[in-house]
Amino acid sequence: EAGVVQSPRYKIIEKKQPVAFWCNPISGHNTLYWYRQNLGQGPELLIRYENEEAVDDSQLPKDRFSAERLKGVDSTLKIQPAELGDSAVYLCASSPHLSGGYNEQFFGPGTRLTVL
Amino acid sequence: AQSVTQPDIHITVSEGASLELRCNYSYGATPYLFWYVQSPGQGLQLLLKYFSGDTLVQGIKGFEAEFKRSQSSFNLRKPSVHWSDAAEYFCAVGASGTYKYIFGTGTRLKVLA
């Protein structure tokens, strides 16, 4: 079974430029998450999708960040314009539909963003 | 509110020595508890999880963890560390029936040959 796929793996941009990250979850997983992991920290949730619906985007900085999951499968996270503080690893995770509270998440390899 | 504390930022052990990584959580009910490992440049890989039942949980790569409700702890252990275990380890807590994970800040493990 293929795992969570993310691209690109690395991205270097100058501040004020736009950037986009792509994620393809495990087949059949309804729930998709985007996390940001700053250096020396644990991942922090940015947004969660149930199918194509963003059910929790309370931690997403909406002035510059946006995300979509149009067909309820793959997803794109965008930053426009990027700031120096956005340098981090952006992780995508997916999980099957919650059943009895079982909510294991499977993570992709992440995209390491460097903003110069 | 849920929270996770990993008090050790860095740990160094010799290859073949035993290992214990500490994790304390704060949560009002019985949480779901996880340990993940992250190698450099990689995503997070699940080592083990606790949902209910036996409080001693076996995971992959020879790891185990013990849930101690009285201490609000879920410490990760391995009897004999291998050089390939060098990585960063994250403890996470998830609320029952929800999607939300709260991660600790991680413990970076260094293994001496």
Side-chain angles (χ1 to χ4, degrees):
Chain A
E1 177 184 277
V4 176
V5 179
Q6 290 188 249
S7 68
R9 293 293 311 278
Y10 305 91
K11 190 74 177 178
I12 301 173
I13 61 172
E14 294 189 346
K15 63 180 181 182
K16 300 185 181 179
Q17 294 301 305
V19 65
F21 315 124
W22 177 80
C23 171
N24 195 33
I26 293 173
S27 178
H29 281 194
N30 303 88
T31 308
L32 184 146
Y33 316 75
W34 283 103
Y35 288 86
R36 178 168 59 189
Q37 184 178 18
N38 292 314
L39 188 65
Q41 300 295 315
E44 295 180 324
L45 182 69
L46 291 173
I47 189 169
R48 174 176 75 100
Y49 281 91
E50 288 289 345
N51 299 305
E52 64 274 10
E53 182 182 359
V55 294
D56 183 358
D57 61 357
S58 58
Q59 301 291 94
L60 191 72
K62 298 181 185 63
D63 56 336
R64 297 183 300 106
F65 285 65
S66 64
E68 60 183 18
R69 193 185 184 199
L70 294 177
K71 295 183 179 179
V73 181
D74 59 340
S75 176
T76 301
L77 177 68
K78 298 178 182 178
I79 308 174
Q80 184 171 10
E83 297 179 353
L84 295 176
D86 296 330
S87 295
V89 175
Y90 291 83
L91 294 164
C92 180
S94 69
S95 64
H97 181 71
L98 292 180
S99 175
Y102 184 91
N103 58 350
E104 179 176 345
Q105 298 181 21
F106 297 82
F107 286 81
T111 296
R112 181 176 297 276
L113 174 66
T114 301
V115 182
L116 303 176
Chain B
Q2 298 161 259
S3 67
V4 177
T5 302
Q6 293 182 248
D8 304 305
I9 298 174
H10 297 279
I11 281 186
T12 301
V13 300
S14 298
E15 190 170 21
S18 63
L19 172 70
E20 182 169 31
L21 303 182
R22 296 184 290 167
C23 173
N24 293 96
Y25 67 91
S26 173
Y27 182 62
T30 299
Y32 290 172
L33 294 161
F34 307 85
W35 274 101
Y36 282 86
V37 60
Q38 186 177 35
S39 298
Q42 301 298 314
L44 281 76
Q45 181 184 21
L46 182 69
L47 286 174
L48 47 77
K49 57 186 181 285
Y50 173 78
F51 287 170
S52 65
D54 192 346
T55 56
L56 185 62
V57 180
Q58 300 298 319
I60 63 171
K61 304 185 180 186
F63 286 92
E64 66 177 27
E66 186 170 13
F67 170 57
K68 293 186 177 180
R69 184 189 303 275
S70 61
Q71 298 177 19
S72 297
S73 69
F74 189 57
N75 294 348
L76 182 71
R77 301 194 294 247
K78 186 169 184 178
S80 178
V81 170
H82 188 263
W83 64 267
S84 60
D85 293 325
E88 188 143 25
Y89 291 80
F90 292 94
C91 181
V93 61
S96 172
T98 77
Y99 62 92
K100 228 172 171 80
Y101 280 21
I102 303 296
F103 284 88
T105 52
T107 297
R108 185 170 295 278
L109 174 66
K110 182 177 180 179
V111 180
L112 301 177

